[in-house]
Amino acid sequence: MVWTKAKVNLALSLVIVFIGISVADLKVGFYSNTCPQAESIVKRVVSGASLSDPNLPAILLRLHFHDCFVEGCDGSILVDNGAISEKFAFGHEGVRGFEIIEAAKAELEAACPGVVSCADIVALAARDAISLANGPAYEVPTGRRDGRVSNLSLAKDMPDVSDSIEILKDKFMRKGLHAKELVLLSAAHTIGTTACFFMTKRLYNFLPGGQPDPTINPVFLPELTTQCPQNGDINTRIPMDRSSERLFDQQILQNIKDGFAVLQTDAGLYEDVATRQIVNSYVGLLNPLFGPSFESDFVKAMVKMGKINLKTGSNGEIRRVCSAFN
């Protein structure tokens, strides 16, 4: 078979579409001419809101992740179109921060009507939230447009706390993300909390006879069962990072290595050969001198995630309010 240049280009395009990362270009400073104050407005809104809610950095970071993992980073999770709204999917249980995005959108519409997408606001807000938690500051490529579809049935394949490491790797691969991004984006659990609801099986019914997950460090198990007692309040929230739930750092990777992971999926990262090697690369004794930079690699993973199934150019729309299609 003779491969012409056109056939090669077509094949490459199909591969890229298959793995989920869009070929469309975003650009840092996309709004520099059309709405030069866009990023500063988002930053001010996020900073102001964080004063009354110290958990906001984790909330906005999670919102960005959940938005990107359904129809791509297109603001579909923000839409309220009744009982079928994507935001009501079980996989989005506990996702919050919608009012912060809407507040930023209102200010942007007053300054630059019809210019800045809700999808970009979500990405920018996540970046600003990470910085507020003492995480890395980085530039966000913008130029996304908002999607025109929001349906809870589309969120049925969201990563779940009960997923095995193989299932997680497959779900990430389908979005064009690999084992390294799985580890790095899971490390976002360095900030924020989870509900005891998601801990019940791991603590009280992981093995026959009501035994806990054996990968939990014996020193840590009593802490978890005290925080989430059997038959206790499943809505009680506990930190996902044992020592620094409001500080963005790589401590969670050390916790995973030492058996102090809170979530089953985080613990699973150390049970798989590929992901264990990645975790170890960031927490080894020689890492500060010779190892990779966790913060730098986390930023790369965030930017890559932010390009899943993009809608740009004439695809999609720029909503006037984030909770409703135009």
Side-chain angles (χ1 to χ4, degrees):
M1 178 178 179
V2 178
W3 283 81
T4 65
K5 183 177 180 180
K7 288 180 178 178
V8 171
N9 288 340
L10 175 60
L12 288 173
S13 297
L14 289 173
V15 170
I16 292 170
V17 169
F18 176 77
I19 65 173
I21 298 297
S22 173
V23 297
D25 286 334
L26 299 180
K27 185 174 88 171
V28 172
F30 181 84
Y31 300 110
S32 58
N33 293 324
T34 54
C35 190
Q37 65 271 54
E39 296 196 22
S40 62
I41 288 175
V42 175
K43 183 175 183 178
R44 176 165 45 78
V45 170
V46 170
S47 297
S50 70
L51 296 176
S52 58
D53 188 351
N55 291 317
L56 191 63
I59 290 167
L60 294 178
L61 180 53
R62 187 178 184 216
L63 178 62
H64 185 34
F65 176 87
H66 280 252
D67 182 37
C68 290
F69 254 72
V70 182
E71 285 292 281
C73 309
D74 67 350
S76 58
I77 195 173
L78 306 172
V79 175
D80 189 351
N81 57 338
I84 64 167
S85 301
E86 180 194 316
K87 64 170 64 176
F88 297 133
F90 179 78
H92 293 326
E93 186 75 25
V95 174
R96 299 191 288 130
F98 305 107
E99 73 285 357
I100 308 303
I101 306 303
E102 204 68 77
K105 179 62 171 173
E107 291 201 25
L108 287 164
E109 284 299 299
C112 318
V115 173
V116 182
S117 70
C118 299
D120 274 343
I121 297 172
V122 172
L124 291 168
R127 182 270 307 274
D128 296 334
I130 292 169
S131 180
L132 285 172
N134 202 41
Y138 61 98
E139 293 184 311
V140 175
T142 45
R144 300 167 186 80
R145 289 172 67 84
D146 299 320
R148 295 192 176 104
V149 176
S150 178
N151 192 299
L152 59 82
S153 66
L154 299 173
K156 61 182 181 298
D157 289 329
M158 280 295 301
D160 186 83
V161 293
S162 63
D163 284 343
S164 69
I165 187 65
E166 290 304 320
I167 290 175
L168 281 177
K169 286 165 70 175
D170 180 66
K171 287 181 177 181
F172 272 65
M173 182 66 73
R174 278 185 265 147
K175 299 299 181 182
L177 303 172
H178 302 98
K180 186 172 184 177
E181 284 87 33
L182 169 58
V183 171
L184 290 162
L185 294 174
S186 295
H189 295 153
T190 181
I191 55 175
T193 61
T194 189
C196 287
F197 171 81
F198 297 109
M199 299 298 297
T200 302
K201 179 180 178 181
R202 189 172 190 225
L203 295 177
Y204 302 108
N205 196 29
F206 194 82
L207 295 176
Q211 296 302 303
D213 181 350
T215 67
I216 302 174
N217 190 304
V219 173
F220 191 36
L221 183 59
E223 291 182 32
L224 291 175
T225 54
T226 298
Q227 292 173 303
C228 295
Q230 192 168 22
N231 301 318
D233 183 358
I234 60 173
N235 295 312
T236 297
R237 302 197 68 84
I238 64 173
M240 290 186 289
D241 189 346
R242 183 174 181 245
S243 59
S244 56
E245 78 211 64
R246 291 179 182 168
L247 180 66
F248 187 97
D249 57 21
Q250 63 191 70
Q251 178 62 40
I252 192 166
L253 296 177
Q254 186 67 54
N255 288 347
I256 289 170
K257 180 178 180 179
D258 295 340
F260 290 96
V262 172
L263 296 177
Q264 177 185 330
T265 48
D266 288 349
L269 296 175
Y270 214 68
E271 300 303 304
D272 175 80
V273 173
T275 51
R276 180 167 62 245
Q277 289 177 342
I278 297 166
V279 170
N280 285 338
S281 73
Y282 293 109
V283 298
L285 291 176
L286 298 178
N287 174 266
L289 292 175
F290 304 108
S293 166
F294 167 70
E295 289 196 348
S296 176
D297 287 351
F298 178 82
V299 166
K300 291 175 185 175
M302 285 292 292
V303 171
K304 185 175 181 180
M305 182 190 75
K307 295 181 179 179
I308 295 175
N309 292 346
L310 293 178
K311 296 166 182 65
T312 60
S314 60
N315 192 11
E317 64 183 16
I318 304 297
R319 292 186 209 134
R320 296 301 191 269
V321 294
C322 293
S323 59
F325 302 122
N326 288 347

